[in-house]
Amino acid sequence: MAEQGEQNEHEIATPSQVKARIRRILSKQEPQEENFLNIYPMIDMMTILLVFLIMQFANSTSSKVTESAELQIPYTISREAVDNALTVTVSRREILAPDAKQVQEALVTLNSSGQVDANDKQGGNTGFLIVPLLKRMELHRDRLKKIAQAHPDQPFTGTVQIIADKGTPFRTLADVIYTLGQCEFKHIRFVLKEKTKAAKSGI
């Protein structure tokens, strides 16, 4: 009997028996979880970063001022930093405002006295509302409000900065400020040059 049992233990298994044995072993093992990388959150993160970088670039370039014969910035002794904001430029010949790509574009041509032509104002010479500037700034207001709705951490503040030539007539500045106020840009700051020692001494 012992010899017969030893012979049974050394019998060669058939292929079907091997397969059945493998299936029994595999059936007893727990199924492994699939490991994969979900890239959708990464895409959302990159989109947010891209929007943030574009806005930072637009804001960083808006404060760069290039003076010319038509645009001489007045001096100031204040050391308060200039905010990153939309910029309206008033030179001796024209009024410029940013377009959709934040590039300054001439909207209104000033007359020989440095004032806005009556044809560009609502109500003619007696009016204060500059129509081309109003339409452009309304587009920026609506755009900034949409951004504020999508990103509560970037509220619409109605902040705008004015770069004006030192010889700009007060009436022209009044027209610009009134128009900006009608577009809900009521926080207005002027961009000025810091008065250095050389400037104080007249060099």
Side-chain angles (χ1 to χ4, degrees):
M1 296 292 292
E3 293 179 358
Q4 185 178 0
E6 290 177 0
Q7 291 177 356
N8 292 335
E9 288 179 359
H10 294 289
E11 287 183 356
I12 299 175
T14 63
S16 60
Q17 290 175 335
V18 173
K19 292 180 181 180
R21 179 65 176 172
I22 292 174
R23 283 196 294 269
R24 285 197 298 271
I25 294 173
L26 292 177
S27 64
K28 294 179 181 179
Q29 295 181 351
E30 296 181 358
Q32 296 181 353
E33 296 182 357
E34 294 184 2
N35 295 323
F36 64 93
L37 179 63
N38 187 359
I39 65 172
Y40 290 104
M42 297 179 64
I43 294 176
D44 293 339
M45 180 181 66
M46 294 302 297
T47 303
I48 294 172
L49 288 175
L50 179 61
V51 173
F52 174 77
L53 291 174
I54 291 174
M55 293 185 64
Q56 286 295 105
F57 176 77
N59 287 333
S60 63
T61 56
S62 63
S63 298
K64 293 182 179 180
V65 182
T66 303
E67 291 188 89
S68 64
E70 300 296 329
L71 181 62
Q72 295 294 315
I73 309 300
Y75 288 103
T76 180
I77 59 175
S78 173
R79 293 183 177 273
E80 186 174 357
V82 177
D83 289 341
N84 288 326
L86 290 173
T87 301
V88 174
T89 303
V90 184
S91 70
R92 298 181 185 181
R93 293 186 179 182
E94 55 195 7
I95 297 176
L96 303 92
D99 60 12
K101 297 182 179 179
Q102 303 299 314
V103 178
Q104 292 281 297
E105 179 184 11
L107 296 178
V108 179
T109 301
L110 304 179
N111 58 28
S112 58
S113 301
Q115 296 186 2
V116 182
D117 189 88
N119 295 326
D120 290 321
K121 295 198 295 183
Q122 189 179 74
N125 284 326
T126 59
F128 285 87
L129 189 66
I130 306 173
V131 177
L133 180 61
L134 174 74
K135 293 180 179 179
R136 173 61 57 81
M137 298 307 291
E138 283 179 339
L139 294 176
H140 286 295
R141 177 200 62 195
D142 296 341
R143 175 180 61 83
L144 292 173
K145 284 189 172 183
K146 288 181 180 179
I147 293 175
Q149 290 177 354
H151 304 279
D153 59 328
Q154 301 177 20
F156 173 73
T157 60
T159 301
V160 65
Q161 59 189 23
I162 297 177
I163 301 175
D165 181 78
K166 60 184 180 181
T168 302
F170 176 79
R171 176 55 193 259
T172 303
L173 289 177
D175 293 343
V176 171
I177 293 172
Y178 177 81
T179 303
L180 293 174
Q182 297 303 305
C183 305
E184 300 181 50
F185 289 97
K186 299 181 180 179
H187 297 281
I188 299 173
R189 295 191 177 184
F190 287 88
V191 176
L192 305 172
K193 290 191 301 185
E194 182 180 354
K195 195 171 184 66
T196 61
K197 293 182 179 180
K200 292 178 181 177
S201 61
I203 298 177

